[in-house]
Amino acid sequence: MSVEITWWGHASCTVTDSNVRVLTDPLFARRLAHLRRRRGELPPPDAWRADVALVSHLHADHLHVPSLARLAQGTRLLVPRGALRAVPGLRRLTGLRVTEVRPGDVTRVGALRVRVVHARHDGRRLPVGPHRSPALGYVVEGQARTYFAGDTGLFDEMAREVGPVDVALLPVGGWGPYLGEGHLDAGRAAEALARLAPRSAVPVHYGTYWPIGMDAVRPHEFHAPGHEFVRLAAERAPGVAVHRLGHGESVRLEVTA
């Protein structure tokens, strides 16, 4: 039994399990507002293929309507509860099968069970939009149990709510020189790894986008989080195999029952 993870950059990954393709937070743009893609080619059309796409929260670098519009007709799309009201552009994606979800919900996609869990993060559509919407993580359960954290900070019930998992896709950085409340940096991600104790982990949400004109501002915050996470994970969760992927790279992980 195995699961294959491909990292396209930022929080966008394809998880292939039981012949089902799961796409996380699709972002296929060279530029987004003040952000520019500084590393990695744009994902190829193959990245747009998915049986289901998971959106963790409403921030534009995670719910990107033009990227979602590239998905094939009939693709299932799970979004946080309230997204259709808060992001009118979603309503124009009439070819997608959109379902709003909240923590505790479970959705079946082929042979997979997708379980929705809590994330500690401001899930609103910013900088405008008063409508509140939960930030989410997802646990994809098939031959493996794969946790996609979205954007989150540490929270006390993380290990209990997420439950035993085989693979964790954890954010370890961001798109700017400062990480605010509700984020994981490399150190906090290593702490999350120690709490979750999966067999394998893949760092995401770093080293892809950076504000235009800020190339010289604390550049280590752009380049270093993946390496730092590998180092700290070896100290705090030495039993976990960490796979630091390049943009567009994949890893196939064997899972024993």
Side-chain angles (χ1 to χ4, degrees):
M1 297 188 296
S2 65
V3 59
E4 183 174 273
I5 311 294
T6 303
W7 183 49
W8 303 113
H10 205 54
S12 303
C13 299
T14 294
V15 178
T16 305
D17 188 328
S18 306
N19 294 316
V20 179
R21 288 173 63 96
V22 180
L23 179 62
T24 66
D25 285 350
L27 181 56
F28 305 141
R30 193 172 301 281
R31 178 173 174 176
L32 173 64
H34 65 299
L35 304 179
R36 177 171 56 89
R37 189 177 180 109
R38 286 191 57 210
R39 182 176 288 181
E41 296 297 323
L42 286 177
D46 184 61
W48 312 343
R49 287 197 305 113
D51 297 291
V52 61
L54 311 178
V55 170
S56 63
H57 61 289
L58 304 191
H59 293 177
D61 58 322
H62 293 259
L63 194 166
H64 186 244
V65 173
S67 294
L68 295 175
R70 296 184 178 184
L71 302 179
Q73 297 277 317
T75 301
R76 298 189 68 177
L77 175 63
L78 305 188
V79 299
R81 183 188 58 184
L84 289 167
R85 179 176 64 166
V87 186
L90 275 177
R91 298 176 221 155
R92 295 194 291 269
L93 303 180
T94 56
L96 304 182
R97 298 159 58 197
V98 183
T99 303
E100 293 190 337
V101 294
R102 60 183 177 178
D105 287 349
V106 175
T107 300
R108 292 277 182 180
V109 183
L112 301 185
R113 181 175 182 262
V114 180
R115 184 164 51 88
V116 185
V117 298
H118 170 74
R120 185 186 174 198
H121 192 69
D122 185 343
R124 290 175 298 171
R125 186 71 164 182
L126 300 174
V128 297
H131 303 305
R132 301 202 67 83
S133 187
L136 307 175
Y138 295 90
V139 181
V140 178
E141 300 176 345
Q143 293 186 347
R145 294 162 298 184
T146 302
Y147 170 47
F148 169 60
D151 257 356
T152 187
L154 289 168
F155 55 96
D156 291 341
E157 300 300 313
M158 177 180 276
R160 182 193 63 78
E161 186 170 347
V162 172
V165 291
D166 300 295
V167 185
L169 311 179
L170 295 178
V172 302
W175 50 253
Y178 303 103
L179 287 174
E181 181 71 14
H183 292 87
L184 297 178
D185 60 10
R188 292 191 290 272
E191 173 60 28
L193 201 64
R195 297 184 187 186
L196 296 167
R199 299 180 183 184
S200 303
V202 175
V204 302
H205 205 276
Y206 77 100
T208 308
Y209 291 91
W210 203 246
I212 294 170
M214 293 185 67
D215 290 8
V217 178
R218 298 180 67 182
H220 64 284
E221 293 287 354
F222 177 81
H223 296 290
H227 295 284
E228 186 71 357
F229 175 70
V230 171
R231 183 182 70 81
L232 293 173
E235 295 177 359
R236 302 181 192 178
V240 181
V242 177
H243 303 271
R244 189 181 65 82
L245 302 178
H247 292 83
E249 288 188 347
S250 302
V251 61
R252 181 177 293 275
L253 303 172
E254 299 298 325
V255 179
T256 57

